[in-house]
Amino acid sequence: MMITKNLNEDELTVKIAGRLETVTAPKLEEEFKTCLRGVKTLIMNLENLEYISSAGLRVLFSAQKTMNKQGKMIVRNVNEDVMEVFEVTGSVDVLTIVND
């Protein structure tokens, strides 16, 4: 998994490429512990995310919970495979998902 971050004032865009699963999810979780301070808008760009497991979902939900307290989180550019996981797990009801 590759993580790319771009901070523009109080808006942070995080791009994830590869697989967000049990082995890689802790890396993203550690990133969120430090990079969300002072962020009002978190944009998760998932256009290059190939797969997400329950561990990956847990990290996204944790980020969503944090952002609910300090701003908002938007999930963008979700591919069909990841969207299917979001739909089956009910994540579409929790996450704000925007496909361009």
Side-chain angles (χ1 to χ4, degrees):
M1 176 185 68
M2 200 160 89
I3 302 169
T4 307
K5 299 180 294 189
N6 182 26
L7 181 62
N8 184 7
E9 295 183 23
D10 60 0
E11 179 178 287
L12 175 65
T13 299
V14 177
K15 293 181 181 180
I16 303 173
R19 298 171 63 88
L20 183 52
E21 56 193 351
T22 305
V23 175
T24 58
K27 180 180 176 186
L28 182 61
E29 189 170 32
E30 282 301 311
E31 290 282 341
F32 282 153
K33 284 182 182 177
T34 57
C35 72
L36 293 182
R37 289 188 194 110
V39 172
K40 300 255 188 273
T41 303
L42 171 61
I43 298 172
M44 297 293 304
N45 186 330
L46 304 184
E47 70 181 310
N48 295 314
L49 184 66
E50 300 163 6
Y51 172 80
I52 189 166
S53 72
S54 58
L57 287 173
R58 184 181 56 76
V59 174
L60 288 185
F61 291 151
S62 177
Q64 178 71 62
K65 185 176 179 181
T66 299
M67 292 310 301
N68 284 345
K69 296 175 186 170
Q70 64 191 52
K72 63 182 176 181
M73 181 172 111
I74 300 168
V75 179
R76 300 184 79 101
N77 304 322
V78 180
N79 70 37
E80 286 182 29
D81 294 334
V82 174
M83 184 60 87
E84 186 175 337
V85 172
F86 286 170
E87 289 170 352
V88 168
T89 60
S91 301
V92 292
D93 299 328
V94 177
L95 301 172
T96 301
I97 301 171
V98 177
N99 280 327
D100 297 334

